[in-house]
Amino acid sequence: DTGVGEVRQGEGVLGLRRALVLAGSQTQMISLWPVSDIGTRDLMISFYKGLLEGKSRTDALRQVQLKMLASRNRKHPFYWAGFILSGDWRELNN
């Protein structure tokens, strides 16, 4: 649940995102609730495959979420709906 965080004055989620941006991260994939390690592994493998195929970051995430929704073992939103992207949504530059 990296997208939730403990809210403190001037800190919390915004503080984590800002730190990642300052470190050079163009895009962050964050989760809105604690997620399954195995489900996250499956999502991330498919996400990165989509990026390697030239899909934009948002399209790659959307495609893997739709794939998980259609699957037998990962169709419950617990496994895929908690992930969102923050930052640059476009294709990766070579």
Side-chain angles (χ1 to χ4, degrees):
D1 55 347
T2 55
V4 179
E6 184 178 327
V7 178
R8 295 184 191 164
Q9 186 114 4
E11 294 294 325
V13 176
L14 183 58
L16 173 62
R17 184 183 180 287
R18 184 177 299 138
L20 291 169
V21 169
L22 290 173
S25 172
Q26 296 176 351
T27 308
Q28 304 80 45
M29 184 182 298
I30 57 179
S31 60
L32 301 177
W33 54 74
V35 292
S36 154
D37 288 341
I38 295 171
T40 300
R41 179 201 63 196
D42 296 345
L43 183 135
M44 295 304 288
I45 288 170
S46 293
F47 175 72
Y48 280 105
K49 285 181 180 178
L51 293 178
L52 289 172
E53 293 169 359
K55 294 178 183 167
S56 70
R57 296 161 201 179
T58 53
D59 286 341
L61 178 58
R62 181 177 182 274
Q63 291 302 313
V64 69
Q65 288 175 320
L66 290 172
K67 179 181 169 185
M68 292 178 88
L69 177 61
S71 76
R72 203 177 103 209
N73 296 336
R74 304 270 188 260
K75 74 180 346 178
H76 193 281
F78 167 77
Y79 293 104
W80 55 267
F83 291 94
I84 61 170
L85 292 175
S86 177
D88 194 348
W89 53 269
R90 298 170 293 179
E91 299 87 15
L92 294 175
N93 295 328
N94 290 335

